[in-house]
Amino acid sequence: ARGASKTAITAQELFRIYPALAPVLVAILAEGVEESFALTSSVSYTLHPSLFPILLLLSRLQPVEDVAADAGAIAAAEPFLKHVLRCLSHPHHKVRLMAARATAALCSGDGNDITSRSELLTWCKERYSTSSDWNSKHGLLLCIKHLLKVSTSVEAFGLVRPLICYAASWVDDNFMSPPSCVAVALECWAHAHIQGIISLNIEKSLAASLSKAVQASAQFNQAGVNLIGASHLCCVSSEFLARLVYDDLFSFNDDVRMKALCTVKWLLQVCFDARWIAVKTIKKSLYESIEAITSN
């Protein structure tokens, strides 16, 4: 949802200017969802030509929660929501991703209505626990990620924390989730780390788990195993691990600093993806630190 410009039009304003547009878009979206999930003779899924463009349009609207206490904006978003949520289980990755972004744009924030963040997170959590389809689970995790991405609420993260822990359990050798799901779960943890929601003790245990994820992904790559999402998992884990140890690189404690340096050295050697992401992350962190110092 934060991909939208600050000058982007709101849903309420768009449908006020074009009053006939909303029911037409809802009808086309509903038709596109039904057609996309209908089984063909070859038992495969089809993609309605209008489905992705409508999801893209919704994701580019100014987020409803940015329109302070506006019941009109919430009312304009509600008719789309049930169809957008269904797209979270679509077999095409980009449709799931755009549906997650559109859901975040339609979210009304930290209120009590049906489109509030807590209601949507609770819905995602309940659907995840009952779903047996990994496409659906991946889409639900993407939705959780984008809903949390625009929030600093400890309560919001707490609603889905057990689910995120479960989805990320693959990094502890439990193999309970495919790499694509683990990567999204770790991105949720990364957001919590940036916002200061998780404690230092959890960060220390995460570092070991992230190292396992990078090592496993590198081993799959070296063995020529084409595991979907493994490369992305390696990149996400490497970036998160580099962020965790960055501050320790400048510690006055020799043991802490050497441990951080060893971790960075290992990231630079384990595989190309890890090396590229680690260098990129540390450079960015250095530039941010320098900018913070010079601006004071």
Side-chain angles (χ1 to χ4, degrees):
R2 285 299 181 265
S5 168
K6 290 296 183 182
T7 59
I9 192 170
T10 65
Q12 182 190 21
E13 184 66 11
L14 176 64
F15 300 137
R16 184 189 66 79
I17 298 173
Y18 305 103
L21 183 60
V24 172
L25 288 179
V26 171
I28 296 175
L29 180 60
E31 177 187 343
V33 170
E34 291 299 328
E35 183 176 317
S36 292
F37 283 93
L39 291 175
T40 65
S41 57
S42 60
V43 197
S44 62
Y45 289 91
T46 57
L47 178 60
H48 191 279
S50 299
L51 184 60
F52 188 85
I54 293 177
L55 291 173
L56 179 61
L57 169 66
L58 294 174
S59 71
R60 299 298 295 178
L61 293 174
Q62 187 174 338
V64 172
E65 67 175 303
D66 287 354
V67 185
D70 196 327
I74 296 174
E78 280 187 14
F80 293 93
L81 195 56
K82 69 176 183 179
H83 305 299
V84 172
L85 290 175
R86 192 174 175 191
C87 291
L88 292 173
S89 58
H90 199 280
H92 290 280
H93 171 267
K94 290 300 182 182
V95 174
R96 297 197 299 272
L97 176 60
M98 204 52 60
R101 291 177 178 174
T103 302
L106 297 174
C107 172
S108 59
D110 298 316
N112 297 315
D113 54 88
I114 194 172
T115 62
S116 68
R117 182 176 288 104
S118 59
E119 287 291 327
L120 291 171
L121 287 173
T122 300
W123 183 87
C124 288
K125 180 174 66 173
E126 292 173 351
R127 287 297 299 268
Y128 189 97
S129 63
T130 59
S131 176
S132 59
D133 176 51
W134 283 114
N135 282 334
S136 178
K137 288 177 180 287
H138 179 250
L140 291 167
L141 285 168
L142 283 172
C143 187
I144 289 171
K145 169 192 164 184
H146 284 281
L147 287 170
L148 293 176
K149 193 175 181 180
V150 294
S151 172
T152 58
S153 170
V154 177
E155 291 76 14
F157 183 78
L159 280 173
V160 290
R161 181 170 175 166
L163 187 157
I164 294 172
C165 291
Y166 177 82
S169 63
W170 190 81
V171 300
D172 290 323
D173 300 326
N174 294 327
F175 296 92
M176 299 299 292
S177 301
S180 297
C181 291
V182 178
V184 179
L186 289 176
E187 286 173 330
C188 293
W189 276 114
H191 168 74
H193 163 70
I194 293 171
Q195 297 298 332
I197 296 174
I198 56 178
S199 68
L200 181 61
N201 290 334
I202 295 178
E203 289 183 5
K204 290 179 178 178
S205 64
L206 268 175
S209 296
L210 291 167
S211 298
K212 291 181 182 179
V214 175
Q215 185 66 53
S217 301
Q219 289 173 347
F220 284 128
N221 183 52
Q222 292 168 1
V225 178
N226 296 319
L227 188 62
I228 295 175
S231 179
H232 180 54
L233 173 60
C234 181
C235 292
V236 170
S237 302
S238 300
E239 179 180 0
F240 196 179
L241 185 56
R243 283 182 179 274
L244 285 179
V245 303
Y246 173 75
D247 288 338
D248 290 344
L249 291 172
F250 306 98
S251 172
F252 290 108
N253 185 305
D254 291 343
D255 292 337
V256 172
R257 187 173 64 255
M258 287 305 300
K259 185 176 180 180
L261 286 170
C262 288
T263 299
V264 172
K265 181 179 178 181
W266 177 75
L267 283 172
L268 296 178
Q269 295 175 341
V270 65
C271 66
F272 174 80
D273 286 339
R275 178 167 65 250
W276 174 62
I277 290 294
V279 170
K280 182 179 178 182
T281 302
I282 292 173
K283 281 179 63 179
K284 182 179 178 181
S285 298
L286 279 171
Y287 292 151
E288 289 174 349
S289 298
I290 293 171
E291 184 177 356
I293 293 172
T294 55
S295 63
N296 292 331

